[in-house]
Amino acid sequence: IGIMGLSLGGFSTSLTTYHPRLREPRVKAAISIAGPSANLTKRFYDQSQVEIPFLMIAGTSDRLIDYVSNASVIPDRVTHGALLTVEGGNHIGFVGISEPAFRFFHNADSLACWSVQSNVDQTGSKVFTDLFSDEDGIVLDADAPQRCQQVSPPEAGHPGRQHMITQIGVLSFFESVLAATERRRLDAKELLQTRLSREFVEAQFRLATAP
């Protein structure tokens, strides 16, 4: 089974894959797209003792889920993890409606921030509070940037190109793990780790540095 989620679904993907008490043992590969992970420590990923390939896909212009504290940390925390960065990618750019609806916006995450701040309970939820446990390696990091903090959001890239990078990244990652033959797995791995960055200047791939 391969599992994948976007935004809060990405957080759910991480919990389903690695949580020491709640994980689904049938999962063999996992992708989080712009998923929150600042609260997931290296202990969280290590203590389950599972060797599951994990890919984070994230954009550097994301206003809702800060790239630095949630995505760039993945190669240092997840032993079998990797990061596919979309330079100029924003949060709403991963959603189908963004192309062509938001093609000419400076950064359409401004709309997403307005919607979230208008409709989401900012005080938090007991469901999430119950999940935060030092024992499980899930901690509440008060210093982590909160959603939509930037006063002047960075410009976002073309959503169509963001979609293409994401689709190629997702398919090649799952093929590199789950394909039926070694030849197909190797071809997909080479596409993800090498050729994708050659075809798209916005795409950068980085493997885990964690021991």
Side-chain angles (χ1 to χ4, degrees), residues 109-151:
D109 279 356
S110 297
L111 291 177
C113 285
W114 173 82
S115 177
V116 167
Q117 291 170 336
S118 300
N119 296 287
V120 174
D121 181 3
Q122 302 293 319
T123 62
S125 168
K126 188 176 185 300
V127 173
F128 293 106
T129 303
D130 290 344
L131 286 173
F132 286 75
S133 163
D134 289 339
E135 182 181 349
D136 293 331
I138 307 175
V139 299
L140 183 59
D141 185 359
D143 296 326
Q146 302 302 305
R147 54 179 176 254
C148 305
Q149 283 187 328
Q150 304 100 321
V151 177

Side-chain angles (χ1 to χ4, degrees), residues 32-119:
S32 173
I33 302 177
S37 66
N39 299 310
L40 306 178
T41 66
K42 191 175 186 305
R43 172 183 172 83
F44 168 78
Y45 297 104
D46 286 348
Q47 65 180 337
S48 59
Q49 298 182 339
V50 295
E51 298 182 356
I52 296 176
F54 177 84
L55 177 66
M56 171 69 79
I57 303 177
T60 58
S61 295
D62 193 323
R63 286 196 66 199
L64 278 79
I65 304 298
D66 175 68
Y67 171 83
V68 173
S69 57
N70 292 281
S72 66
V73 298
I74 291 298
D76 297 322
R77 293 184 183 177
V78 187
T79 302
H80 297 277
L83 171 63
L84 175 58
T85 298
V86 183
E87 189 69 32
N90 62 351
H91 200 78
I92 206 169
F94 290 112
V95 180
I97 194 176
S98 65
E99 170 59 30
F102 303 129
R103 181 185 298 179
F104 301 108
F105 280 62
H106 175 80
N107 190 329
D109 279 356
S110 297
L111 291 177
C113 285
W114 173 82
S115 177
V116 167
Q117 291 170 336
S118 300
N119 296 287

Side-chain angles (χ1 to χ4, degrees), residues 166-183:
T166 304
Q167 289 172 353
I168 294 171
V170 166
L171 291 173
S172 58
F173 174 76
F174 280 138
E175 277 281 284
S176 72
V177 179
L178 304 174
T181 66
E182 183 179 9
R183 180 70 267 166

